[in-house]
Amino acid sequence: MTDTTQGQVVCRIEQGVAWIGFDRPESRNAMTWSMYDSLDRLRQEVDDNPEVVAVVFHGCGGKAFVAGTDIAQFADFEGGEAGVAYERRIDSVIAGLENMSKPTLALLEGFCVGGGAAIALACDFRYCTPSLKFGVPIAQTLGNCLSVTNVSRLMDLLGVARTKEVLMAARLIEAPEAAAVGLVGEVFAADSIHQEVARKAQAFARRAPLTVQATKATINRVLAHRRASADASDDWIRACYGSRDFKTAVGHFASKTPFDWTGQ
């Protein structure tokens, strides 16, 4: 029997488009370990499917794309090495998405934060509704930090100044700004976004497959060349995840009670 509290990642294929959905709407589609595992498996399956011309990632329920990793997953973390292992695990999943040979589109409704932001940034194209709230507000929630690779993805799209605002000031970017800075390609009404994104995805059936694949692969090679090595931020990951602040924040976040940061 499936444990529905763990959520699921679902997939359907329509007119050559694979729709991969994050299905845990009661928790704003917050990701559990089993959901990350399913995502990794499904992206490989659809990328290997010759009938699929493009892939759309979306949240279920209309209120969120993905509201990060479920905080309960961090309750049993002991020390900084657990944080390093977690960030490596997420890096592996996100790298798999980024390096898919098929064009990938993210359909963003409502909250797209934390791990959700990382998933969206790994996609080739992003489209949203006016309800978008995009960011990584860990400076006011858990006190952890991102891997250097995920920081690089933010910098690639937002630039240095906005990346600092998103990570250090915990600012959420809304739809008009997201469109203005190129984070999303277009903003669509909630009642039409699925049809509009389907149309854009299906259009890849009329594009030269080798040109699309070659362009994506070449751009990814340039990005990889610019980025620091995967372990370049391990010292800070250990420090943040191993801190008293992080352990306290996880408990207080779950109980929705306030606390004061100590920097330790």
Side-chain angles (χ1 to χ4, degrees):
M1 183 178 295
T2 301
D3 182 357
T4 56
T5 64
Q6 292 298 300
Q8 58 184 337
V9 180
V10 297
C11 180
R12 72 181 195 277
I13 298 175
E14 295 180 357
Q15 296 182 278
V17 177
W19 293 79
I20 294 181
F22 306 104
D23 188 8
R24 199 172 176 236
E26 70 283 358
S27 300
R28 291 180 176 171
N29 303 321
M31 297 287 283
T32 60
W33 300 149
S34 62
M35 289 174 71
Y36 279 119
D37 290 342
S38 296
L39 173 60
D40 203 34
R41 174 180 55 80
L42 286 171
R43 65 91 189 159
Q44 187 65 65
E45 289 178 4
V46 300
D47 212 24
D48 290 341
N49 187 338
E51 302 301 316
V52 172
V53 299
V55 184
V56 176
F57 295 93
H58 66 98
C60 297
K63 301 296 184 183
F65 177 66
V66 169
T69 299
D70 188 334
I71 304 304
Q73 308 286 288
F74 299 123
D76 60 353
F77 272 31
E78 294 292 342
E81 289 305 323
V84 172
Y86 164 71
E87 291 294 336
R88 286 286 191 280
R89 181 177 186 176
I90 300 305
D91 272 353
S92 176
V93 174
I94 301 304
L97 298 178
E98 187 173 50
N99 292 307
M100 290 179 71
S101 63
K102 306 287 173 69
T104 54
L105 303 83
L107 188 164
L108 309 177
E109 301 173 276
F111 287 93
C112 176
V113 297
I119 292 169
L121 289 169
C123 292
D124 300 312
F125 309 96
R126 285 157 297 280
Y127 304 98
C128 76
T129 64
S131 64
L132 177 68
K133 300 284 189 298
F134 177 95
V136 188
I138 51 179
Q140 68 181 22
T141 56
L142 294 186
N144 58 329
C145 68
L146 298 185
S147 72
V148 70
T149 309
N150 278 320
V151 172
S152 295
R153 290 189 181 98
L154 276 169
M155 292 173 64
D156 289 337
L157 275 171
L158 297 180
V160 173
R162 278 192 174 85
T163 296
K164 288 182 177 180
E165 290 182 354
V166 166
L167 294 179
M168 297 170 67
R171 187 169 72 82
L172 296 180
I173 293 176
E174 299 190 359
E177 181 181 3
V181 302
L183 176 61
V184 300
E186 292 182 65
V187 181
F188 295 112
D191 60 0
S192 65
I193 189 169
H194 284 261
Q195 294 89 339
E196 294 289 354
V197 172
R199 180 176 57 81
K200 289 180 179 294
Q202 291 161 6
F204 282 100
R206 303 185 296 276
R207 306 289 184 261
L210 290 179
T211 299
V212 171
Q213 292 174 31
T215 302
K216 179 170 181 173
T218 303
I219 289 172
N220 281 348
R221 289 175 186 175
V222 173
L223 292 174
H225 178 74
R226 292 176 177 174
R227 291 171 181 169
S229 63
D231 62 357
S233 59
D234 282 2
D235 54 344
W236 279 109
I237 292 173
R238 289 188 187 94
C240 290
Y241 281 92
S243 69
R244 185 185 310 160
D245 272 351
F246 175 75
K247 194 167 187 65
T248 303
V250 169
H252 281 267
F253 189 95
S255 62
K256 295 181 171 57
T257 54
F259 75 100
D260 295 322
W261 301 102
T262 67
Q264 297 179 339

